[in-house]
Amino acid sequence: MLMLTEKMWNAIRDIYNAILSHPFIKELVEGSLAEEKFKYYILQDYLYLREFSKALAIISAKAEKQNEAMLFSSHLQSIMRVENELHNFFMNAWNITEEEKAKLIPSPTNLLYTSFLLSTVLYKPYFEAVSAVLPCYWIYMEVGKELLKKGSPNPLYDRWIKTYGGEEYEKGVRAVLDVVNSFKLTQEEEARAVRTFRIASIMEYMFWDSAYKLEKFPFNF
């Protein structure tokens, strides 16, 4: 009998393969990705993770088991520390000021994704909330491990790859996978968990795609 996480991954194999074959990822490894697109991605990721951190805080509060509440709370702190270091590294390299950071706005895809995450963790049951944030954990780990085998001749891109391909990051992801596999769900609840996981996975693909296309809103706001 398959574990829930195995069912989830089977449900997104098409999405994951599309991510690995996306020109953003392929050109990142080759070192040929236009730096403007990578910069767009990093700045949008900076905005995304502020909202993702809020989602983790809510999940930690909703957890009924103390060890799970502490797990997501620790991940919130780790994300704020590690990601801030990563983003600050790139922003310093690009001489981006605090004033410029304050003026950043989310892309259409970013706003869609973070709105989906926050509405799910706020209004849906705990198991669905965890299912919604799992793709951000898991897909990044798998992509990072795959890209770590190749690296990138561009030192900026290689720095990004090494952040998500490391053992410490994988340890945190495995802990969340264990939480998901511990859920006692009905058949209908399991189907909802898989569907939520797939929707968020689609948005992971869209996030990279939007960076490659330098996606913008049609009007200013």
Side-chain angles (χ1 to χ4, degrees):
M1 187 174 179
L2 293 177
M3 294 187 292
L4 178 54
T5 55
E6 291 177 304
K7 294 177 182 178
M8 285 175 159
W9 194 258
N10 287 340
I12 67 153
R13 289 190 182 277
D14 57 332
I15 301 167
Y16 178 67
N17 290 335
I19 289 171
L20 286 185
S21 61
H22 194 283
F24 184 97
I25 298 297
K26 294 179 77 172
E27 291 173 19
L28 184 86
V29 171
E30 294 167 358
S32 62
L33 180 68
E35 191 167 318
E36 180 187 17
K37 296 179 180 181
F38 184 71
K39 183 178 180 180
Y40 176 105
Y41 165 80
I42 291 295
L43 296 180
Q44 287 300 317
D45 194 48
Y46 163 76
L47 294 175
Y48 168 86
L49 284 165
R50 291 195 310 191
E51 305 307 303
F52 186 77
S53 296
K54 295 173 188 175
L56 291 187
I58 296 166
I59 289 175
S60 178
K62 291 182 94 165
E64 294 182 359
K65 296 178 182 177
Q66 186 179 27
N67 65 311
E68 293 179 12
M70 292 176 65
L71 173 69
F72 288 108
S73 177
S74 69
H75 286 178
L76 169 59
Q77 296 176 53
S78 176
I79 282 174
M80 292 179 73
R81 176 178 52 82
V82 176
E83 298 288 351
N84 280 343
E85 288 177 4
L86 183 68
H87 290 144
N88 287 337
F89 169 81
F90 289 119
M91 290 184 186
N92 289 335
W94 293 319
N95 297 313
I96 296 174
T97 65
E98 291 299 320
E99 291 76 15
E100 289 172 321
K101 282 199 284 186
K103 293 178 181 177
L104 293 172
I105 61 170
S107 67
T109 293
N110 197 350
L111 188 60
L112 172 68
Y113 192 3
T114 54
S115 297
F116 169 75
L117 287 180
L118 289 172
S119 64
T120 301
V121 299
L122 277 168
Y123 300 117
K124 299 293 184 178
Y126 176 65
F127 76 87
E128 269 189 89
V130 178
S131 301
V133 299
L134 181 57
C136 183
Y137 278 95
W138 198 359
I139 290 176
Y140 267 76
M141 180 189 81
E142 296 296 346
V143 169
K145 286 167 63 178
E146 193 65 32
L147 300 192
L148 199 59
K149 299 173 186 175
K150 306 170 184 176
S152 174
N154 185 312
L156 283 179
Y157 304 167
D158 201 55
R159 169 71 185 266
W160 180 86
I161 289 170
K162 287 176 179 174
T163 300
Y164 295 103
E167 290 182 9
E168 191 61 30
Y169 182 77
E170 181 170 351
K171 182 180 176 182
V173 177
R174 295 294 175 196
V176 179
L177 294 175
D178 288 341
V179 169
V180 173
N181 284 326
S182 73
F183 292 150
K184 306 299 181 188
L185 305 178
T186 65
Q187 189 173 0
E188 188 271 337
E189 287 173 335
E190 193 171 275
R192 282 163 54 192
V194 172
R195 181 175 182 273
T196 298
F197 178 75
R198 181 171 171 83
I199 291 171
S201 298
I202 292 170
M203 293 184 193
E204 283 291 330
Y205 171 88
M206 291 170 64
F207 199 91
W208 273 305
D209 189 59
S210 68
Y212 194 76
K213 294 174 179 175
L214 300 173
E215 180 188 56
K216 300 282 191 299
F217 279 98
F219 303 97
N220 293 330
F221 62 90

